[in-house]
Amino acid sequence: MPAPSQQSASERPGRIMSGEMAEQPAVLRRILEQGAPRIHETAAAIAARAPRFVLLTARGTSDNAALYAKYLLEIQLGLPCGLTSMSTTTAYGAKPELRDVLVITVSQSGGSPDLVASTRAARDAGAVTLAVTNNPDSPLAAVSEFHIDVLAGPEKALPATKTYTASLLALYLFVEGLRGGDTSAAKALPDLAAQVLDRQDEVRQLAARYRFAERMVITSRGYGYPTAKEAALKLMETSYIPALSYSGADLLHGPLAMVDNISPVIAVVTDGKGGTALQPVLDRLRGRGADLVVIGPAAQVAKASAGFVLPTDGLPEELQPIVEILPLQLLAYEVTIARGQDPDAPRALAKVTETR
C-alpha cells in the first residue's frame, strides 16, 4: 500500500466521510432556507390532529436522533413519548390501539423492512404517521401519511454524519412548529458548525490519547445524552473500540465501578440544565482519577484532563447537540485514521441495514 503522501486524494482512507462531515454547515443552511417552510406546514397539519402521545421508531444513528426528539417533545411540549419496540408488530404480530397517537419514524434511507412494516402497521392501527428521511422516494415515505425530507444530499460513507445533524435540525424545527415556537436561534448553527469543523487539528491532537485505547466510556445528561450515544456508535463502527454510553445518572447506578485511571471517559457537558445535572457525576469521575475529557463550555474543559471547548455561548440548550456531535465525529474519524483503518468502509457493515 503506498504511503499517504503518495496516494491521490481519491484513494486516501476516510476521504468520503471527511468530505461529508465538511458538508454539514451547508446542509444545515439548506434546511433553514429551503426545508423550514415545508417542515412548519407539516407540523401545523399534525398539530391540528392534537396527538395525545408520541411513539418514535428508528435504528442505529437515526435512533439517537429519535431520542433527541423525545427530549424535545417531552420538555418543550409536555407530550409523553416512547421508543417503539418494532418486533412487537413485525415478529409477534401485535395489533396496538394507536388512535390519536403520533408515530415518528426516523431513517436515513427509509428502506429497512422493519421500519416500513411497523409504520404501515401503526397507520393501520389509527396512528398519525410521519417519516423523517433523507429519501423522499423511499418505501417508508410511501407508507407514511406525512414526510419530512432532511435535505442532506446523498451520503456515501458508511458512518452517517451529515444525515444525523440534518435529522436533528429537522426534528427541532418540527417540534417548534408543533408549538408555534420561535426558531430564529437556529440561524446561528451553520456558522457555528463551520467554526467547529475548522478546528480539526485540535481534535487530531486529542485523538492521540485514544489511538491505543481498549475501551471508552461516554456520558452526558439531558439533551446531551443522545450525543453521547451517537459518539459511542461512531467510535465503535469506525475504530472498533468498545465505547459504552451512559446517562450520567445511570453511570452512578453501578457502571461507575469499572471506571479507572486507564480507560478514558468523555463527558458531553451541555451549557444548561443538563450540564448542571451532570456535575455530581463529573465530581465522582474526578474523584476516581478518571482520564476525563470534556466536550463543552470552557469552564468545564478547564477542570478536565483535556477537552474541546464548544462555541455555544447564547445557543439554547436544545440546539447544542447539533454542535456537540461535530468534534466527536471528527474524533471517531481521527482515531480510526491513527489506527491505520479506513472509516469509509467499516468491516461487516452495509450502508442500508435491512432488519426485519
Side-chain angles (χ1 to χ4, degrees), residues 119-342:
T119 300
R120 183 186 293 111
R123 190 170 181 180
D124 291 344
V128 179
T129 53
L130 168 66
V132 180
T133 81
N134 195 40
N135 184 1
D137 299 320
S138 63
L140 178 61
V143 301
S144 300
E145 184 177 358
F146 297 95
H147 177 257
I148 289 175
D149 184 353
V150 302
L151 300 174
E155 188 172 59
K156 297 180 180 179
L158 285 176
T161 54
K162 63 179 182 176
T163 52
Y164 179 70
T165 50
S167 296
L168 295 191
L169 180 53
L171 287 163
Y172 166 81
L173 293 172
F174 171 71
V175 173
E176 288 300 304
L178 287 177
R179 70 184 190 119
D182 179 7
T183 61
S184 59
K187 294 178 182 178
L189 289 170
D191 289 341
L192 291 175
Q195 289 176 33
V196 171
L197 293 169
D198 283 345
R199 295 162 58 193
Q200 188 162 356
D201 287 346
E202 288 181 49
V203 179
R204 189 173 296 119
Q205 294 174 14
L206 198 58
R209 303 173 69 91
Y210 304 128
R211 181 176 180 180
F212 301 108
E214 296 183 357
R215 181 187 68 201
M216 291 188 199
V217 174
I218 307 176
T219 188
S220 189
R221 289 204 69 178
Y223 285 113
Y225 180 42
T227 306
K229 290 176 66 66
E230 175 61 11
L233 177 59
K234 283 292 152 287
L235 283 160
M236 287 189 287
E237 69 183 354
T238 57
S239 69
Y240 318 140
I241 298 173
L244 308 174
S245 59
Y246 294 98
S247 157
D250 288 333
L251 185 63
L252 296 183
H253 283 267
L256 183 68
M258 71 176 173
V259 174
D260 52 29
N261 61 356
I262 298 174
S263 298
V265 178
I266 299 175
V268 180
V269 184
T270 57
D271 187 5
K273 293 180 180 179
T276 299
L278 192 63
Q279 291 310 304
V281 183
L282 299 178
D283 292 340
R284 292 285 297 277
L285 289 168
R286 284 189 286 263
R288 290 188 61 81
D291 177 10
L292 178 63
V293 172
V294 166
I295 308 298
Q300 296 296 333
V301 172
K303 300 176 186 178
S305 304
F308 187 98
V309 176
L310 291 171
T312 52
D313 287 348
L315 189 67
E317 184 177 359
E318 59 269 23
L319 282 172
Q320 292 177 31
I322 300 172
V323 179
E324 287 169 349
I325 190 59
L326 300 176
L328 293 162
Q329 291 175 346
L330 291 172
L331 181 66
Y333 170 87
E334 291 293 348
V335 169
T336 305
I337 294 294
R339 289 163 72 97
Q341 295 152 197
D342 185 357

Side-chain angles (χ1 to χ4, degrees), residues 88-105:
T88 60
T89 55
T90 60
Y92 291 92
K95 298 186 181 301
E97 169 53 65
L98 296 178
R99 283 177 296 177
D100 302 323
V101 174
L102 171 60
V103 173
I104 303 174
T105 306

